[in-house]
Amino acid sequence: MSGHGVFDYIVAGGGSAGCTLAARLAQAGDASVLLVEAGSGGSSLFSRMPAGNGFLFGNPRHDWGFQSTPQPGLGGRRIYYPRGRGLGGSSLMNGMIYIRGNAADYDRWRQMGLAGWSYGDVLPYFRRSAGARHRPGDPFHGTDGPLKLSPARRRDAIDERFVAACLEAGAPFNDDFNGATQEGAGWFDTKVWRGMRQSSARAYLERPPGNLTILADSPVLRIAMEGNRAVGLVLATGEVRARREVVLCLGAFGSPQCLMLSGIGPADHLREHGIDVVLDLPGVGAGLADHPNMPMQFGLLRPELSMARHQRIDRAAWMGLRWLLAHSGPGAGPFWSTALFHAVRDHAMPELEIFFTPMVVREEGGAKRLSIQTLLSAGKAVIARGKTAEPGLQFDINLLRPASRGTVRLASGDPRDAPVIDPGYFSDPADLEDLVAGVRHMRRVVAQPALAGIVGAERSPGAGAMRDGDIRQAIRALATTGHHPVATCRMGGDHDGGAVLDAQLRVRGIEGLRVADAASFPDQISGNTGAAVIMLAEKAADMMLGRAAPAQEDPRAVEA
């Protein structure tokens, strides 16, 4: 689209939030809605195949490929942040795990002064979005929503043994991490339906309404402002105008960047980059929270149990063929089937989420040489995101509620430059202590009878890291992102001077502008963030349309 267009609502960013919000706004009536996406409007084969996301990582057509600043808490290492580019956003390439966080997370939001955001308030929106047909009649779940869910597909012997070992080490069995309680070991629900990834685009925009216009391949340069009112977006291809509202759904990195490029943010920082200040709003880009992840790896004495067996070229080809012909086989589901929510102190609010993967990934440095091994391992693009998978067991220990906070800042006033991302890992050293406890607990798990004769030597952090100080050092050397950045344009009550948004997701001090995505979270939640982003977008649509919120639902009160 060149030149100008006028719409009632403009949604910037076609990710998990943007696809959901644009669809719901358009479905509600005849208001015209424009959804603007920087990436492609079409999905690739590998974004539809659940096991195919390894082909998308690092591909600039599909992945923004952000890097963090050097992290003092990680020995100066930079962290790679994959973020999805294209209609569907990061839901095109994430792990498809459906976790809502802990119910108490949302009760905490209400206690922070955010009326309408308690668990009882948000559960109806989780239920509205979800199509969990395998949970009929369950008060915690919806069965008819657009986001179709299914139980984790892979239930191999090694997964069964992992769950059994967790129970032997003291965990309860949990049949539903999104139900009455979160603690325990069990199987995930996944955003997969009939062997197909359920991205937000597939869930909400497979048949877009006629009053919804989708503009792909159109990066947003900045918000068009008239005084303190947002009136549209400035795109590389021209300007589009909104009669009613503009909503940013550009994610935890993109939304604060766009606000700052538009003159809304910390005044001194904006002036440093030659940007005229529309509104001094210091909270923009502050408060970045992410789940640090500590990977533990063990050898596997029975390599035939490992997912790494699928990366050999003949097996990878057979896996791909089965999926193409029937949407079946190992390619039709995520590699993560099981997890443990482990309570270090609080059984109602586990501090750690531990993902189990029946393979380990070897980092490869230097140029790739053509060899028999690289030919035999052509399937590693699928299995291990372009790296080499080996037989083994990997436990990814995510710290769910870290105290450390970081920032998102501008590198320059040029919208084409990536933002400066500083997650501030372990800037609060207390975050290390629960991860140390997690490492020690996973050593107890692998020592249980259920895994006897299967687990080999500990590869990382290794037998040399036995004292707490040695484990802390190993965590600093090995930790990565859990891929859940949030809270960079956070909601807050009227008393909260650092809040960017009010409880209606409106940017404070600006008319006609909201932010509705992971950046809007007031703080971090206890689990994967994709389901909560979609919930927030569902709720945002009701707010924007002036519809009454649904009646509160809290099955916990009934069960108690």
Side-chain angles (χ1 to χ4, degrees):
M1 178 185 297
S2 60
H4 299 261
V6 182
F7 301 84
D8 291 313
Y9 299 104
I10 297 178
V11 178
S16 292
C19 289
T20 303
L21 179 58
R24 290 307 198 193
L25 290 174
Q27 290 165 1
D30 57 2
S32 58
V33 181
L34 174 66
L35 176 61
V36 180
E37 166 54 37
S40 167
S43 64
S44 76
L45 170 70
F46 301 113
S47 67
R48 297 192 297 273
M49 177 183 178
N53 58 348
F55 281 99
L56 307 182
F57 284 81
N59 181 336
R61 180 171 172 79
H62 303 289
D63 179 5
W64 288 101
F66 293 126
Q67 294 275 343
S68 77
T69 60
Q71 294 295 289
L74 303 181
R77 289 187 294 126
R78 294 178 183 267
I79 295 295
Y80 161 50
Y81 275 107
R83 295 280 96 186
R85 180 179 181 135
L87 204 61
S90 293
S91 70
L92 294 171
M93 61 191 304
N94 64 14
M96 295 158 285
I97 294 168
Y98 183 79
I99 292 288
R100 298 172 178 173
N102 194 296
D105 291 326
Y106 305 103
D107 291 338
R108 181 180 68 249
W109 289 8
R110 176 63 186 91
Q111 292 159 9
M112 294 167 67
L114 293 168
W117 290 96
S118 72
Y119 180 67
D121 293 313
V122 302
L123 180 59
Y125 292 104
F126 279 118
R127 285 169 47 84
R128 179 184 295 180
S129 65
R133 298 184 186 179
H134 61 294
R135 297 190 183 275
D138 190 318
F140 290 95
H141 294 274
T143 57
D144 301 321
L147 184 65
K148 297 183 179 65
L149 307 174
S150 58
R153 185 183 191 90
R154 200 190 73 250
R155 298 206 172 200
D156 289 351
I158 190 67
D159 300 289
E160 299 273 3
R161 286 176 177 260
F162 165 71
V163 171
C166 290
L167 303 189
E168 289 170 345
F173 178 73
N174 194 332
D175 184 51
D176 181 7
F177 294 128
N178 302 302
T181 61
Q182 188 180 47
E183 184 187 17
W187 275 262
F188 287 122
D189 281 357
T190 65
K191 291 177 274 189
V192 175
W193 179 248
R194 294 177 177 170
M196 297 280 281
R197 170 188 287 271
Q198 296 299 294
S199 70
S200 59
R202 185 169 183 82
Y204 284 87
L205 295 179
E206 199 165 23
R207 289 179 290 276
N211 56 330
L212 172 61
T213 300
I214 299 172
L215 184 57
D217 299 308
S218 298
V220 175
L221 303 184
R222 63 183 182 277
I223 303 161
M225 302 291 300
E226 289 182 359
N228 272 35
R229 180 171 185 83
V231 296
L233 296 176
V234 179
L235 311 176
T237 52
E239 186 171 314
V240 289
R241 307 275 289 190
R243 297 185 188 94
R244 300 184 188 176
E245 291 193 65
V246 175
V247 191
L248 299 186
C249 299
L250 297 166
F253 303 144
S255 286
Q257 181 186 27
C258 185
L259 285 175
M260 289 186 283
L261 288 167
S262 308
I264 303 167
D268 290 345
H269 178 63
L270 303 186
R271 292 189 187 105
E272 286 175 13
H273 295 293
I275 297 171
D276 292 335
V277 178
V278 173
L279 179 66
D280 180 12
L281 204 53
V284 173
L288 171 60
D290 188 21
H291 292 142
N293 172 63
M294 171 58 187
M296 284 190 79
Q297 296 183 342
F298 292 82
L300 184 63
L301 301 179
R302 293 177 56 187
E304 73 277 7
L305 298 176
S306 173
M307 284 293 291
R309 68 188 185 273
H310 295 295
Q311 73 176 331
R312 204 176 72 185
I313 190 169
D314 56 335
R315 292 174 179 168
W318 175 234
M319 180 175 70
L321 187 61
R322 287 181 68 186
W323 183 82
L324 284 170
L325 294 177
H327 294 159
S328 65
F335 298 133
W336 301 272
S337 289
T338 56
L340 167 67
F341 279 89
H342 176 61
V344 178
R345 291 175 302 280
D346 188 348
H347 292 283
M349 288 282 284
E351 293 84 4
L352 302 172
E353 180 181 10
I354 299 153
F355 304 88
F356 172 60
T357 313
M359 64 181 180
V360 299
V361 176
R362 186 176 73 237
E363 299 289 341
E364 296 179 312
K368 304 291 191 299
R369 294 194 301 268
L370 182 63
S371 67
I372 295 296
Q373 179 59 38
T374 56
L375 286 173
L376 290 177
S377 298
K380 68 186 180 181
V382 174
I383 296 296
R385 299 178 182 173
K387 302 167 187 174
T388 295
E390 296 177 346
L393 306 179
Q394 179 154 323
F395 306 104
D396 286 293
I397 308 171
N398 274 217
L399 179 65
L400 292 178
R401 294 179 299 280
S404 299
R405 293 291 183 269
T407 58
V408 175
R409 293 288 181 249
L410 297 176
S412 74
D414 188 339
R416 295 170 295 184
D417 288 342
V420 178
I421 301 166
D422 178 7
Y425 287 128
F426 307 126
S427 52
D428 189 325
D431 287 347
L432 289 164
E433 302 315 306
D434 284 346
L435 287 173
V436 169
V439 168
R440 292 199 178 282
H441 184 71
M442 295 319 295
R443 286 172 172 166
R444 287 195 292 274
V445 169
V446 300
Q448 298 304 313
L451 290 173
I454 290 178
V455 180
E458 182 179 321
R459 298 182 180 183
S460 70
M466 299 307 295
R467 298 175 301 179
D468 283 0
D470 296 330
I471 297 174
R472 290 188 201 102
Q473 185 176 350
I475 292 169
R476 291 186 185 277
L478 296 169
T480 65
T481 174
H483 304 287
H484 304 144
V486 302
T488 50
C489 301
R490 63 183 176 84
M491 284 189 283
D494 293 337
H495 64 283
D496 186 347
V500 175
L501 312 175
D502 66 12
Q504 301 287 309
L505 302 169
R506 296 174 296 208
V507 177
R508 293 181 178 275
I510 300 292
E511 295 180 19
L513 181 62
R514 303 191 203 222
V515 179
D517 57 26
S520 312
F521 288 18
D523 62 11
Q524 185 59 278
I525 64 170
S526 306
N528 309 61
T529 52
V533 168
I534 289 173
M535 172 277 291
L536 183 142
E538 290 267 13
K539 186 169 171 61
D542 273 3
M543 291 174 169
M544 293 175 65
L545 295 165
R547 294 192 295 210
Q552 287 191 336
E553 300 176 29
D554 193 345
R556 296 175 303 166
V558 175
E559 295 191 6

